[in-house]
């Protein structure tokens, strides 16, 4: 791999010497921390690509949930680029430039390009050039159709402006990009491009290190190893089980975010048990079909119809499906009843509290989630209680006791919420525990008092022999109240 360091933005551009279309951007170490309005800005010449390549690309990006800016109201010749368009460029995380043979013939395309390269250099915007039926060297050195376009611009525009356009073209064409000649058709290029964009955006949608927080990353890797991803033909079912609120869903979500873009179709179904009991399992089938097939308002009349539809439509798709919080075998039967429903290489991940359920459904592997270690508990509590701030000396004292006792992520987050953003004392921190202990102690005293009252009452008013109370067998036999409970009435 050849690595080029961008000094201005701190971005690492990685290109493949053997395959240009595999070149991409390593954003894991980027310091880019701005917020943005659009995920992707598309820069293109409409007459060349609007009805074919750009149309396919825009639709594929939208299907993946990637918010894309595409200006369909193209500027007429001679008009300046609008402030709204400049703002859209500046508020986009990625700019995808589609260089076609006529790209440089329109001045507004070149003005877009200048603004994009400014954002790349100043604020660290990621720029991806696509060379659509043009040679990258023609763009970089302004040859052939690009030379013809600039010959015309040199007659109509100022030398300073023309020079700025040439420099922007050379800079953009020098970045690692995708060449259409390396793909069999437009569909293949669009599929690969969208897949990589979707994967890169995951790094920004989840805060850095979130999946490694409190051992989530290591547990996720263990589950991934059970999935046997190298086996591209088999359909495998992997289960994650453990008691409530121990982190099963967090691990499954991290796994889904990590792998979903590698599959032709993917779906994460939350709270399967609860939603199934409330709306019916056929409702979940409709959601699954909609997500996997990218269809809207899928309607089925019965659970059996949903199973039949999934059998027909999923069998050619390499799929990743996560069924979260399953609590009954019927839910698995309706949503993933047979491995033959899915294409080769598919993976089904199930989270549940019932480990026996996973064995009954024939899971290939299971992973039991245990409580956090002391180190992981301390890390999780510290992050949720103090964020990036360093806790004071007083606060550091109660981190240890809390993390020694509590190892459930949900409980640690609840304790952390008590101290987040405010100064507290020992009394405030342990007041909930003190209240529970005081309640238990009061209940114990109350029971003892009532027992003593009964003994005194029987001795004084019923003539009971007090020494008999010292003999447990007599006390139970003579003075304990008797109750008769017959679930069914006796025969007369």
């Amino acid at each position: 791999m050849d690595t080029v360091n961008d000094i201005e933005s701190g971005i690492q551009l990685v290109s493949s010497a053997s395959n240009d279309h595999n070149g991409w951007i390593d954003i894991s170490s980027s310091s880019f921390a701005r917020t943005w309005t659009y995920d992707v800005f598309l820069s293109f010449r409409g007459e060349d690509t609007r009805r074919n390549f750009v149309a396919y690309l825009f639709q594929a990006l939208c299907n993946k949930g990637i918010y894309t800016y595409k200006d369909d109201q193209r500027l007429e010749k001679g008009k300046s680029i609008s402030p709204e368009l400049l703002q859209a460029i500046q508020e986009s995380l990625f700019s995808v430039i589609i260089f076609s043979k006529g790209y440089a013939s329109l001045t507004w395309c070149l003005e877009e390009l200048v603004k994009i390269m400014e954002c790349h250099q100043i604020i660290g915007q990621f720029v991806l050039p696509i060379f659509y039926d043009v040679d990258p060297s023609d763009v970089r050195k302004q040859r052939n159709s690009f030379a013809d376009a600039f010959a015309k611009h040199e007659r109509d525009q100022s030398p300073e402006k023309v020079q700025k356009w040439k420099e922007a073209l050379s800079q953009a064409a020098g970045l690692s990009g995708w060449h259409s000649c390396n793909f069999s058709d437009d569909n293949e290029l669009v599929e690969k491009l969208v897949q990589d964009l979707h994967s890169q955006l995951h790094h920004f949608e989840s805060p850095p290190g979130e999946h490694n927080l409190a051992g989530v990353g290591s547990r996720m890797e263990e589950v991934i190893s059970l999935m046997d991803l190298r086996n591209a033909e088999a359909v495998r079912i992997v289960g994650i089980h453990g008691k409530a609120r121990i982190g099963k869903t967090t691990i499954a979500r991290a796994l889904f975010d990590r792998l979903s873009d590698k599959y032709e179709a993917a779906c994460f179904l939350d709270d399967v048990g609860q939603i199934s009991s409330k709306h019916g399992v056929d409702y979940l089938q409709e959601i699954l079909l909609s997500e996997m097939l990218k269809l809207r308002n899928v309607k089925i009349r019965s659970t059996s119809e949903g199973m039949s539809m999934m059998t027909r439509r999923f069998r050619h798709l390499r799929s990743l499906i996560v069924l979260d919080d399953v609590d009954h075998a019927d839910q698995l039967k309706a949503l993933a009843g047979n491995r033959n429903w899915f294409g080769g290489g598919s993976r089904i991940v199930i989270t549940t509290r019932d480990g026996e359920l996973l064995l009954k459904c024939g899971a290939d592997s299971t992973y039991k989630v245990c409580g956090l270690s002391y180190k992981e508990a301390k890390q999780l509590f510290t992050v949720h209680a103090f964020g990036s701030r360093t806790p004071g000396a007083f606060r550091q004292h109660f981190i240890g006791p809390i993390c020694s006792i509590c190892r459930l992520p949900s409980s640690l987050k609840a304790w952390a919420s008590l101290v987040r953003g405010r100064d507290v004392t020992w009394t405030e921190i342990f007041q909930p525990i003190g209240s529970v202990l005081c309640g238990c102690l009061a209940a114990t005293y109350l029971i003892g008092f009532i027992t003593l009252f009964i003994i005194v009452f029987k001795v004084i008013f019923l003539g009971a022999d007090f020494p008999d109370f010292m003999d447990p067998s007599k006390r139970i036999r003579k003075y304990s109240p008797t109750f008769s409970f017959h679930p069914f009435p006796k025969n007369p």
Side-chain angles (χ1 to χ4, degrees):
M1 302 294 287
D2 300 326
T3 304
V4 180
N5 292 323
D6 189 317
I7 300 175
E8 293 290 335
S9 60
I11 304 169
Q12 191 178 47
L13 303 176
V14 183
S15 63
S16 172
S18 59
N19 225 343
D20 288 345
H21 70 267
N22 287 331
W24 194 226
I25 301 173
D26 179 8
I27 60 179
S28 59
S29 60
S30 172
S31 58
F32 188 84
R34 298 174 59 252
T35 57
W36 64 94
T37 302
Y38 303 99
D39 296 322
V40 175
F41 178 91
L42 294 180
S43 177
F44 61 96
R45 184 176 186 264
E47 294 180 21
D48 294 345
T49 58
R50 180 192 290 118
R51 293 184 177 274
N52 42 59
F53 179 73
V54 170
Y56 303 149
L57 177 58
F58 181 73
Q59 187 61 50
L61 290 169
C62 292
N63 289 342
K64 276 289 187 180
I66 299 174
Y67 191 30
T68 305
Y69 186 94
K70 179 171 73 78
D71 181 23
D72 286 321
Q73 304 300 321
R74 285 310 185 185
L75 302 175
E76 297 178 5
K77 183 178 178 181
K79 288 190 176 181
S80 61
I81 190 169
S82 68
E84 292 80 10
L85 196 61
L86 293 174
Q87 184 176 1
I89 295 172
Q90 188 169 330
E91 293 178 354
S92 299
L93 179 61
F94 287 85
S95 278
V96 176
I97 308 168
I98 302 161
F99 288 120
S100 56
K101 291 180 180 179
Y103 183 88
S105 63
L106 296 181
T107 59
W108 56 260
C109 278
L110 297 173
E111 289 294 335
E112 271 186 6
L113 181 62
V114 170
K115 180 63 177 180
I116 288 170
M117 295 312 297
E118 286 179 358
C119 292
H120 171 66
Q121 295 170 357
I122 297 172
I123 63 176
Q125 185 181 89
F126 302 116
V127 177
L128 177 64
I130 298 174
F131 304 97
Y132 190 78
D133 288 338
V134 295
D135 192 322
S137 62
D138 287 349
V139 182
R140 187 168 55 252
K141 299 178 181 180
Q142 291 91 54
R143 297 185 308 201
N144 295 326
S145 63
F146 288 82
D148 297 339
F150 274 97
K152 183 175 182 299
H153 292 323
E154 286 171 350
R155 293 193 300 268
D156 301 334
Q157 305 292 335
S158 66
E160 294 79 11
K161 181 173 289 189
V162 172
Q163 183 60 31
K164 184 185 294 185
W165 292 342
K166 287 184 176 181
E167 290 176 357
L169 273 171
S170 298
Q171 292 170 5
L175 299 176
S176 176
W178 299 56
H179 199 327
S180 62
C181 71
N182 291 327
F183 300 87
S184 58
D185 53 36
D186 286 357
N187 286 334
E188 183 186 0
L189 172 56
V190 167
E191 181 181 348
K192 297 292 185 181
L193 174 60
V194 172
Q195 182 178 343
D196 274 9
L197 275 169
H198 186 263
S199 178
Q200 296 300 318
L201 282 166
H202 273 312
H203 292 275
F204 290 92
E205 292 162 353
S206 299
E210 181 182 87
H211 290 167
N212 290 322
L213 184 62
V216 174
S218 60
R219 288 164 171 79
M220 175 188 67
E221 294 295 343
E222 292 183 48
V223 177
I224 289 177
S225 67
L226 297 176
M227 295 172 69
D228 190 18
L229 298 179
R230 294 185 179 181
N231 190 339
E233 300 299 327
V235 176
R236 286 183 62 83
I237 299 174
V238 176
I240 304 173
H241 65 102
K243 57 186 177 181
R245 307 185 69 83
I246 201 168
K248 302 183 297 295
T249 300
T250 303
I251 295 170
R253 174 60 70 179
L255 179 151
F256 184 82
D257 290 345
R258 167 86 168 269
L259 301 177
S260 60
D261 60 293
K262 305 295 190 300
Y263 291 81
E264 295 174 333
C267 179
F268 191 108
L269 280 181
D270 295 281
D271 298 324
V272 169
Q274 183 178 354
I275 294 176
S276 177
S277 63
K278 187 175 182 180
H279 300 285
V281 73
D282 51 339
Y283 175 78
L284 288 168
Q285 288 179 325
E286 292 177 348
I287 296 175
L288 182 59
L289 286 163
S290 298
E291 289 290 323
M292 297 285 285
L293 303 176
K294 304 300 180 186
L295 299 174
R296 292 183 180 180
N297 301 321
V298 174
K299 296 295 180 183
I300 57 175
R301 290 170 293 183
S302 65
T303 301
S304 58
E305 182 184 357
M307 295 168 66
S308 177
M309 187 174 180
M310 285 188 280
T311 303
R312 296 193 309 269
R313 303 298 296 272
F314 291 172
R315 61 185 177 179
H316 300 300
L317 289 176
R318 184 171 176 269
S319 309
L320 174 65
I321 298 176
V322 177
L323 305 177
D324 177 50
D325 201 15
V326 175
D327 59 15
H328 199 280
D330 288 347
Q331 297 156 10
L332 295 178
K333 182 180 178 181
L335 299 171
N338 197 308
R339 297 172 195 264
N340 294 334
W341 292 6
F342 308 98
S346 296
R347 296 294 183 267
I348 314 300
V349 179
I350 303 164
T351 74
T352 180
R353 302 179 194 179
D354 186 3
E356 294 294 327
L357 182 63
L358 298 173
L359 298 178
K360 292 178 183 177
C361 78
D364 297 294
S365 304
T366 62
Y367 179 81
K368 183 176 182 179
V369 184
C370 300
L372 301 175
S373 66
Y374 173 78
K375 182 179 179 181
E376 292 167 345
K378 186 175 180 180
Q379 180 188 18
L380 181 66
F381 179 82
T382 302
V383 168
H384 283 274
F386 311 116
S388 58
R389 297 179 293 111
T390 302
F394 168 75
R395 292 180 172 184
Q396 288 180 345
H397 286 304
F398 59 74
I399 293 177
I402 290 176
C403 296
S404 298
I405 299 171
C406 185
R407 298 295 173 85
L408 286 179
S410 57
S411 300
L412 285 165
K413 292 177 183 178
W415 280 107
S417 66
L418 296 175
V419 299
R420 187 186 304 121
R422 62 192 182 97
D423 294 326
V424 292
T425 63
W426 278 101
T427 304
E428 290 178 296
I429 289 296
F430 291 101
Q431 187 175 8
I433 292 181
S435 300
V436 173
L437 292 178
C438 288
C440 293
L441 188 61
T444 302
Y445 279 118
L446 181 61
I447 293 171
F449 176 78
I450 293 173
T451 303
L452 180 60
F453 175 79
I454 293 173
I455 292 172
V456 172
F457 178 82
K458 288 191 175 186
V459 169
I460 296 175
F461 296 101
L462 301 181
D465 187 5
F466 183 77
D468 287 348
F469 285 96
M470 300 298 102
D471 186 346
S473 62
K474 294 181 180 179
R475 182 170 68 247
I476 294 173
R477 185 176 63 255
K478 294 179 63 177
Y479 303 109
S480 296
T482 58
F483 301 94
S484 296
F485 174 70
H486 301 285
F488 301 101
K490 295 182 180 180
N491 294 328

